[in-house]
Amino acid sequence: LPEYHQKFVKNLVALKGRKVAKAMIPWERVSYLNFSDTEEEVRAKIFSKPHSRFPVVDSDVVVGILLKKELP
């Protein structure tokens, strides 16, 4: 197997027995952007947080992911 497949399988085995809840962040703690936010609001939110990815939400539905590095 290629090395990246070997790492994938190794990581899957390492997860055996772990509960999904332990690997997930509760929604109340997720830093997300509203689809209707202005550019100024988006920039203020993402540059005040250490995260690199932000879910974009419209009416309680995730419609995309914004990557901080893709902003000029």
Side-chain angles (χ1 to χ4, degrees), residues 27 32-33 35 53-58 61-67:
W27 186 248
Y32 65 89
L33 306 169
F35 187 74
R53 293 175 178 87
F54 294 82
V56 179
V57 178
D58 187 17
V61 176
V62 176
V63 295
I65 302 290
L66 178 74
L67 302 178

Side-chain angles (χ1 to χ4, degrees), residues 15-56:
L15 290 175
K16 184 180 179 185
R18 291 186 77 192
K19 295 187 179 202
V20 172
K22 292 211 176 234
M24 296 184 70
I25 296 172
W27 186 248
E28 303 84 46
R29 292 182 47 213
V30 173
S31 297
Y32 65 89
L33 306 169
N34 290 305
F35 187 74
S36 60
D37 285 350
T38 65
E39 182 178 347
E40 185 177 292
E41 291 170 322
V42 168
R43 288 182 180 281
K45 285 180 184 179
I46 67 168
F47 290 116
S48 69
K49 305 287 183 183
H51 314 298
S52 60
R53 293 175 178 87
F54 294 82
V56 179

